[in-house]
Amino acid sequence: MRISIDNPADAPQPFGPYSQVARVEHADGGVLLYVSGQCADGDDMAAQSRGVFEALKLLLAAHGAGLDDIINIRTYLTDMDGFADYATVRKEFLTATPPTSTTVAVSRLVPPRALVEVEVVAALNGGSGAKRSAV
């Protein structure tokens, strides 16, 4: 197993002293990408959610992955009344079989105006030929 941690230059840089992506390469060639929570600017939940998914696209692309490779998503909302707007945007970006998911309400996020933060785990196929699908 090989682990590398980075901040891809072509993607949004972190707000604080942490790395954006941990890449775990397994012996069979399979790869897991752990992407730190992403926040974005915007006046409302929909705008911030769009910015978050655009950032996730860039971070995943820097490692040869896409949004369809997401297998787990964790979402933090400062107000559950914005969940419907978040969910609408999420469906625009995540069009494959939905990943496993957790959504929780939090009192606040690190950027003071942030309404949403999303972190993901993505999987890339290895030598086994595994493919994500609905059962």
Side-chain angles (χ1 to χ4, degrees):
M1 178 175 11
R2 181 172 172 248
I3 300 171
S4 58
I5 298 176
D6 76 339
N7 291 308
D10 294 339
Q13 294 304 297
F15 289 111
Y18 60 89
S19 297
Q20 296 282 59
V21 182
R23 180 184 179 100
V24 180
E25 298 177 24
H26 295 274
D28 70 353
V31 175
L32 288 175
L33 301 173
Y34 295 85
V35 181
S36 292
Q38 299 298 304
C39 296
D41 291 328
D43 292 332
D44 59 23
M45 181 65 75
Q48 288 189 20
S49 297
R50 263 189 200 82
V52 163
F53 282 102
E54 290 294 342
L56 289 169
K57 268 178 34 178
L58 291 170
L59 289 163
L60 292 169
H63 287 271
L67 296 174
D68 287 351
D69 296 308
I70 294 172
I71 59 170
N72 180 264
I73 186 168
R74 284 172 301 286
T75 304
Y76 308 92
L77 302 175
T78 59
D79 183 354
M80 278 297 174
D81 289 341
F83 179 76
D85 291 333
Y86 163 75
T88 297
V89 172
R90 177 179 155 157
K91 286 179 188 176
E92 292 172 18
F93 284 87
L94 301 182
T95 58
T97 303
T100 63
S101 180
T102 300
T103 302
V104 297
V106 297
S107 63
R108 63 185 181 170
L109 296 163
V110 172
R113 292 181 21 104
L115 303 173
V116 58
E117 181 171 344
V118 177
E119 62 180 283
V120 300
V121 177
L124 297 174
N125 294 335
S128 66
K131 187 76 174 161
R132 183 172 81 103
S133 64
V135 181

